[in-house]
Amino acid sequence: VFSIWWFVFAVGLLVSILLHELGHFSTARLTGMKATQFFIGFGPRVWSFRRGETEYGVRALPLGAFVRIIGMHAGEEVDTADRDRTYRSKPFGARMLVICAGSLAHFILAIVILSVVYATAGQTQPMDAARVVAVSDGTPAATAGLLPDDEVLSIGGVAVTAGDGLSAAVTAHAPGDVVDVVIARGDEVRTVDVTLASLALVGGSDDAAFLGVSARPVVETFDRAWWSSPWHAAGSLVDQTGASITGVVRVLDPTNLFSHLAGTTDDLSTRPTTLVGITAVSDDIGDSAGFTGIMEMLALLNVFVGVFNLFPLLPLDGGHAAVAIYERIREGRSGRRYYADMERLAPVTMIVVTLLLFLFMSGLYLDIVRPVG
């Protein structure tokens, strides 16, 4: 309604969510488990219909989707006739397939999207530089003569890398430091001296350094043939998986979270965000890179969600996978099935849920009060 790019992003996100749950649902049925519900949304039931043993429908809160497979949760009562169709009753391989199928759907979707984008528009790769978009008046950057379209290569000997970006190179120094800023202006590479200010100049912490520019990554586009695009997409998937693991660990670090809440850092690589922030960024990406930019963003988001969902924390899918692996290890070569006591894990699950809720609320606060854009 408000932006065509928000709409495209929202539709793509909905497809991703449905494919995630369809992965769980289809593999559950394939392995003989009983799935009794497949709903879009949470909360009160708005509309539904039943086909076979499964109820399909929509609920009031559009915060995701879910599939209910019997026998997954502690203390759940199951009819005697369905005992052999519960999640917990199935062998290790079947449980791992079903629980990992959601993330697998994200990875497959990411490869498909990237393959199409690479074949039609080329593959963009970020370079070790940041392009200045705007320079704020009265800031160290303006005083030193930095201009829009300058490419910042390093700050005080700290290279601007494709992964960490400009903010990491700035925050590596302290307010008041006089640093050499290496820039590329057209075909010329030059060095300018800049005295970094304090982030307090714009309402932040006194201890954080501030340059005074907004910047975006420098990217280069490479043409890819249709037959090689899936191979390059798979390579991107591997790279983004590693980056996503690092990103999740950074975001879950409580010291990073409290630094953002206190305003002592503006390092986006350690900042939690929500769909509010991601949607705002999608508008900027759509305006600058068009439909292919939105598709690449959706692909990378699918990789991140797929990786995050596999972290070994209940109630995430990775937590259930960790329980299945633990049970398999305890079984050893005995051939006798071992069942972990899920009720004893309930307090751990509640702690994780509380931490994730706090992380979500913190990210939402930051997205509203200090939007990325």
Side-chain angles (χ1 to χ4, degrees):
V1 175
F2 298 103
S3 164
I4 182 61
W5 302 124
W6 289 6
F7 177 76
V8 171
F9 178 76
V11 171
L13 186 62
L14 178 61
V15 171
S16 301
I17 293 171
L18 289 176
L19 288 178
H20 176 105
E21 298 304 333
L22 185 60
H24 290 311
F25 180 74
S26 60
T27 52
R29 297 190 65 174
L30 178 67
T31 54
M33 299 180 192
K34 183 176 181 178
T36 58
Q37 292 183 335
F38 190 138
F39 272 85
I40 300 173
F42 298 93
R45 183 184 284 99
V46 175
W47 170 82
S48 68
F49 68 94
R50 180 173 294 277
R51 178 169 296 175
E53 62 189 14
T54 306
E55 181 185 12
Y56 304 85
V58 178
R59 293 180 181 257
L61 302 177
L63 301 176
F66 71 91
V67 171
R68 182 177 181 272
I69 303 171
I70 64 172
M72 285 198 67
H73 305 290
E76 180 180 351
E77 294 185 4
V78 178
D79 291 341
T80 304
D82 293 329
R83 291 284 174 84
D84 293 335
R85 301 189 62 195
T86 66
Y87 168 82
R88 300 295 305 284
S89 70
K90 295 300 179 179
F92 173 74
R95 282 175 287 147
M96 289 296 291
L97 174 63
V98 170
I99 210 61
C100 294
S103 288
L104 182 60
H106 285 300
F107 297 146
I108 293 174
L109 180 60
I111 290 179
V112 171
I113 292 175
L114 291 177
S115 297
V116 174
V117 169
Y118 292 172
T120 56
Q123 180 180 3
T124 58
Q125 292 184 349
M127 312 304 289
D128 289 337
R131 188 180 305 280
V132 175
V133 176
V135 180
S136 302
D137 295 335
T139 61
T143 302
L146 268 66
L147 300 174
D149 288 332
D150 284 347
E151 293 183 9
V152 182
L153 306 180
S154 68
I155 299 175
V158 179
V160 177
T161 64
D164 293 332
L166 181 66
S167 61
V170 174
T171 55
H173 303 282
D177 286 352
V178 180
V179 295
D180 296 331
V181 178
V182 180
I183 63 172
R185 182 173 294 171
D187 295 330
E188 179 185 2
V189 176
R190 62 174 66 182
T191 302
V192 295
D193 292 332
V194 178
T195 302
L196 297 175
S198 168
L199 195 60
L201 189 65
V202 289
S205 169
D206 292 335
D207 300 329
F210 177 66
L211 179 60
V213 302
S214 59
R216 65 171 181 264
V218 176
V219 297
E220 187 172 349
T221 302
F222 300 89
D223 293 332
R224 303 301 187 194
W226 66 267
W227 50 267
S228 65
S229 292
W231 173 259
H232 292 291
S236 296
L237 176 67
V238 173
D239 293 339
Q240 289 302 319
T241 297
S244 295
I245 293 173
T246 302
V248 171
V249 172
R250 286 179 174 178
V251 169
L252 291 178
D253 185 342
T255 59
N256 289 330
L257 176 59
F258 288 118
S259 294
H260 281 286
L261 292 175
T264 58
T265 180
D266 59 352
D267 185 0
L268 297 180
S269 67
T270 63
R271 170 175 161 167
T273 190
T274 65
L275 288 180
V276 173
I278 296 173
T279 302
V281 172
S282 72
D283 201 30
D284 295 334
I285 291 178
D287 289 338
S288 61
F291 183 75
T292 57
I294 295 294
M295 289 298 99
E296 282 195 85
M297 180 182 176
L298 276 170
L300 299 183
L301 179 62
N302 270 277
V303 175
F304 181 84
V305 172
V307 168
F308 180 76
N309 205 45
L310 287 179
F311 264 62
L313 301 170
L314 287 170
L316 301 178
D317 289 347
H320 291 285
V323 171
I325 293 172
Y326 171 73
E327 290 176 337
R328 183 66 184 88
I329 293 174
R330 287 294 302 267
E331 290 167 7
R333 298 182 179 179
S334 67
R336 298 179 59 186
R337 180 65 188 276
Y338 175 84
Y339 293 92
D341 187 351
M342 298 300 292
E343 291 187 0
R344 295 180 62 182
L345 294 175
V348 178
T349 302
M350 290 304 300
I351 292 173
V352 173
V353 169
T354 302
L355 291 175
L356 292 178
L357 181 61
F358 177 70
L359 189 68
F360 169 78
M361 295 304 297
S362 299
L364 183 61
Y365 167 81
L366 292 169
D367 286 338
I368 295 174
V369 176
R370 291 195 289 274
V372 174

